[in-house]
Amino acid sequence: MTRAQHFGWFLSRGFGPHGWARPYQRWNWPWQKPDLYQHSARELEQAGFDFVLIEDALSVGITPETLNLRVRKAYGGPKHDPWTLAPYLFAATQHLGVIPTVNPAAWPPYLAARQFASLQHLSGSRLGLNVVTDVGSAHHFGTERLGHDAAYDRAQEWLDALRLLWHSWDDEALIADPDTQIYADGSKIHAVQHRGEYFSFDGPLNAEPLPAGDPIVASPGGSPRGIGFAGANSEIQLALSNLDPASIRAYRGRVREAAIAAGRDADAIKTLFVVKPIVASSVEEAERIVEASRHPDEATLVEVAEAWSSDLETDLTSLDLDRPLDPAIFGDHVSKGTIRGLLGRYSDFSEAPLRDILAGKARLGRVTDGAGGTVGTAEEIADVIQALGDDADNDGLIFSGDFHPVTLHRALDELVPVLRRRGILRSEHTGQGLRADLDAF
């Protein structure tokens, strides 16, 4: 029997300039207004997706060089606050989960617990938290820049604090009986005093208990510590991997083992792999797309360099494309994982000139080649997704791209009917919130 899977959309620019520098910018959807996001959210809900996850970055840097790299092509900014966007998406939909990104460094626990509880009530239990441990924005909040593991320690204390506050009311505390005119029983609401390594606050929370459970937690991070954090806390783990059964099975197995090690049911967490499929109308078109990408022109290489320059906070566009990169150009603040991502199949920068590294990023592959390709017809892409579910017990996928009607339709118009026909994609939601949708299969 075909395995049903979960689907989400990764809003990869966050609350930012969707469509910028693309022809579909001329559709005149102002990215600063809610209409674009509400329209796209309704489309995604109609398609049967479980949720939209909103990326965020709190900083565009502080040096003139970094600022320019981030904003000149809008790869890293501007970004508006995803938590102010979430209520508009809830208002436009009935079932779609909304998962904004949150950094514990920016949200004191009491304020976070109160606001997130309010949104969980307002949304009908459709809220999620994408908890990130990025420390690059510490200077904005007057806090110390933590190391990798210390940032996870802080995030763990923060989540524990939120749960402590959310459950400071017993289940029997809320009475709301109009006959007796008793609203709540204060004897069943518990004082909270927390004095931790990173946070200090008192409770209890002055928000009602959450009838359908806490907001679900999502987390990225493929390091051992990141996977351990997900195993202990998350309902969704965002993962990056080649989309072949062996790789999916191995990664998913590590996440499930981490959940068991934390005393949880392995089925309590869904591992969802991020992918950006390119749906072609025919096999011939798919072949043409892949062949055209094999020999990228100078303009394409510059575009790739611009995008990576923003992520690396290092201007690749000013370097000689025909010389190998000197690793010393990357400061200590640059993520080692991002540097490895730029290298790709090369073991070190001395193996190839920058031109070849960038060309490798521009090249595309067929989904049928078994090597991580993303280009194919709807039937071919569905074949891969079905095989991942049937052969590797895959929990699902998160599609990535601009949250724009054009990009959604390009990815989903032909694919959704095929996935539904095969029983891979849901045709209806539970109507009981995001947690219930994730638990449905």
Side-chain angles (χ1 to χ4, degrees):
M1 180 178 176
T2 298
R3 179 183 172 93
Q5 298 179 47
H6 297 279
F7 290 85
W9 190 279
F10 182 63
L11 207 157
S12 57
R13 277 191 197 261
F15 186 1
H18 290 263
W20 183 255
R22 303 295 181 193
Y24 52 84
Q25 176 192 346
R26 304 293 180 178
W27 273 91
N28 294 341
W29 285 100
W31 72 266
Q32 305 92 338
K33 304 294 184 182
D35 308 57
L36 165 64
Y37 307 94
Q38 291 180 309
H39 181 96
S40 297
R42 284 189 288 265
E43 297 278 333
L44 208 61
E45 180 173 83
Q46 184 71 27
F49 275 50
D50 292 76
F51 62 86
V52 55
L53 190 150
I54 311 173
E55 181 270 349
D56 191 31
L58 292 168
S59 178
V60 289
I62 54 175
T63 68
E65 295 79 9
T66 300
L67 283 167
N68 191 46
L69 288 171
R70 291 279 177 83
V71 303
R72 68 186 181 190
K73 291 297 181 68
Y75 283 112
K79 291 182 189 292
H80 292 180
D81 181 7
W83 289 93
T84 61
L85 178 63
Y88 289 95
L89 303 187
F90 289 134
T93 56
Q94 294 180 311
H95 306 291
L96 186 71
V98 178
I99 309 177
T101 294
V102 60
N103 188 329
W107 288 83
Y110 189 90
L111 174 65
R114 187 170 186 248
Q115 179 159 330
F116 302 160
S118 301
L119 285 171
Q120 182 77 327
H121 280 288
L122 286 168
S123 67
S125 304
R126 292 188 281 143
L127 181 68
L129 321 175
N130 179 41
V131 180
V132 301
T133 56
D134 169 62
V135 296
S137 57
H139 55 274
H140 295 308
F141 304 102
T143 59
E144 178 185 358
R145 181 167 181 153
L146 302 180
H148 179 272
D149 286 358
Y152 275 109
D153 290 341
R154 178 172 62 188
Q156 185 64 64
E157 183 182 334
W158 183 83
L159 269 179
D160 290 343
L162 265 60
R163 291 167 177 147
L164 187 65
L165 288 164
W166 284 332
H167 296 279
S168 58
W169 289 46
D170 287 346
D171 291 340
E172 300 81 14
L174 181 65
I175 298 173
D177 184 348
D179 293 330
T180 63
Q181 297 186 354
I182 301 297
Y183 198 82
D185 182 350
S187 69
K188 298 184 184 300
I189 302 174
H190 306 289
V192 172
Q193 288 188 327
H194 177 85
R195 303 293 182 267
E197 183 175 358
Y198 299 100
F199 303 103
S200 178
F201 61 88
D202 294 335
L205 195 64
N206 69 339
E208 285 189 6
L210 302 170
D214 300 349
I216 70 101
V217 173
S219 59
S223 69
R225 186 63 195 275
I227 290 178
F229 179 83
N233 297 286
S234 302
E235 283 78 31
I236 296 173
Q237 165 72 345
L238 281 71
L240 296 174
S241 174
N242 286 337
L243 296 185
D244 62 86
S247 298
I248 296 297
R249 191 181 302 109
Y251 195 117
R252 183 173 179 268
R254 291 195 296 274
V255 174
R256 291 171 65 82
E257 288 169 5
I260 293 170
R264 300 175 70 204
D265 183 344
D267 290 334
I269 183 169
K270 312 296 184 186
T271 305
L272 303 183
F273 293 87
V274 180
V275 63
K276 194 171 186 176
I278 299 174
V279 183
S281 60
S282 66
V283 171
E284 292 76 19
E285 183 189 10
E287 297 286 357
R288 286 195 298 271
I289 291 171
V290 170
E291 182 58 32
S293 75
R294 295 189 191 281
H295 307 287
D297 57 22
E298 294 293 312
T300 300
L301 294 180
V302 169
E303 183 177 356
V304 174
E306 290 272 11
W308 280 92
S309 294
S310 175
D311 290 343
L312 292 161
E313 300 183 47
T314 307
D315 191 359
L316 303 181
T317 65
S318 64
L319 303 177
D320 187 342
L321 293 182
D322 295 309
R323 294 174 60 88
L325 271 175
D326 180 357
I329 67 172
F330 302 115
D332 292 339
H333 62 288
V334 178
S335 162
K336 300 299 186 291
T338 306
I339 295 173
R340 287 194 298 271
L342 175 67
L343 267 174
R345 64 185 179 88
Y346 299 105
S347 59
D348 61 65
F349 287 115
S350 65
E351 288 189 27
L354 178 58
R355 179 184 300 277
D356 290 355
I357 292 173
L358 296 176
K361 299 301 172 189
R363 293 190 186 105
L364 301 170
R366 295 276 278 115
V367 294
T368 54
D369 65 13
T374 59
V375 183
T377 65
E379 294 285 353
E380 289 173 337
I381 293 171
D383 286 342
V384 171
I385 296 173
Q386 182 170 347
L388 294 179
D390 294 346
D391 301 337
D393 293 331
N394 187 43
D395 295 312
L397 299 171
I398 299 179
F399 290 8
S400 175
D402 274 2
F403 205 50
H404 192 286
V406 171
T407 54
L408 262 66
H409 281 280
R410 283 176 178 169
L412 302 179
D413 275 359
E414 296 184 45
L415 188 55
V416 164
V418 177
L419 293 175
R420 281 215 174 119
R421 187 179 71 238
R422 299 187 187 199
I424 300 170
L425 173 65
R426 69 166 72 245
S427 293
E428 58 184 23
H429 296 81
T430 64
Q432 299 173 35
L434 179 54
R435 185 178 296 275
D437 280 350
L438 290 174
D439 290 341
F441 47 83

